[in-house]
């Protein structure tokens, strides 16, 4: 699994002209799943994300109870090393990815995190105002 974590002053996800998730002063997390990922990896990635010291004064979301907006992002496993057209073969199919993204969100909530989400398999408009900017790629 991969998570691209960004500090944001605000972020939102809109589907069909309806805001389905939004946060202020927290983390926007784009999550990608590959073929050999497991619920255990989802739980470990959730722990790493929530405890990542990426906020001001070397603090984590868990330290300051910052909210998270989690958006599934299969393109984190895109490969464009050959040619101009990326391949998505390393990305897990939706049937495997959706339950693992859900497990990731549930693991964050089990740690006490306030979590908003996008909508799986929907055409989403993701807006964010990055702070810093600070962006970290976590990978298991």
């Amino acid at each position: 699994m991969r998570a691209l974590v960004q500090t944001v002053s605000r972020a939102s996800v809109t589907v069909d002209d309806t805001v389905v998730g939004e946060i202020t002063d927290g983390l926007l997390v784009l999550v990608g799943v590959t073929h050999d990922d497991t619920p255990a990896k989802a739980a470990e990635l959730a722990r790493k994300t929530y405890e990542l010291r990426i906020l001001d004064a070397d603090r984590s979301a868990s330290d300051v109870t910052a909210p998270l907006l989690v958006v599934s992002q299969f393109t984190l496993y895109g490969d464009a090393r050959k040619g101009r057209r990326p391949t998505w073969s390393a990305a897990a199919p939706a049937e495997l990815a959706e339950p693992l993204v859900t497990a990731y969100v549930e693991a964050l909530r089990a740690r006490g995190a306030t979590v908003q989400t996008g909508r799986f398999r929907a055409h989403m408009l993701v807006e964010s105002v990055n702070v810093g900017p600070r962006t970290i790629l976590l990978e298991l």
Side-chain angles (χ1 to χ4, degrees):
M1 288 186 84
R2 291 179 179 163
L4 186 71
V5 183
Q6 299 178 312
T7 56
V8 296
S9 62
R10 67 180 182 274
S12 65
V13 177
T14 303
V15 176
D16 297 328
D17 296 322
T18 302
V19 174
V20 297
E22 65 182 331
I23 62 166
T24 57
D25 299 321
L27 301 178
L28 172 60
V29 185
L30 307 177
V31 178
V33 178
T34 193
H35 301 280
D36 64 350
D37 286 333
T38 63
K41 283 186 179 180
E44 176 61 14
L45 188 61
R47 183 196 64 75
K48 286 185 78 157
T49 304
Y50 200 46
E51 295 176 0
L52 180 65
R53 297 191 172 280
I54 192 174
L55 299 172
D56 290 338
D58 199 29
R59 298 168 99 186
S60 68
S62 66
D63 292 334
V64 298
T65 62
L68 297 91
L69 176 58
V70 176
V71 180
S72 175
Q73 186 75 15
F74 75 92
T75 61
L76 287 177
Y77 279 99
D79 183 353
R81 289 178 288 183
K82 295 181 182 178
R84 295 175 294 150
R85 182 176 295 147
T87 177
W88 315 112
S89 60
E95 297 75 25
L96 174 63
E98 186 172 10
L100 290 173
V101 172
T102 299
Y104 173 81
V105 169
E106 290 172 355
L108 285 167
R109 288 180 175 146
R111 294 184 162 277
T114 299
V115 183
Q116 296 284 309
T117 65
R119 187 171 298 155
F120 205 88
R121 288 187 172 182
H123 183 266
M124 297 178 277
L125 299 176
V126 180
E127 295 182 85
S128 67
V129 177
N130 298 80
V131 174
R134 286 172 252 165
T135 302
I136 300 289
L137 178 65
L138 299 176
E139 188 168 17
L140 295 180

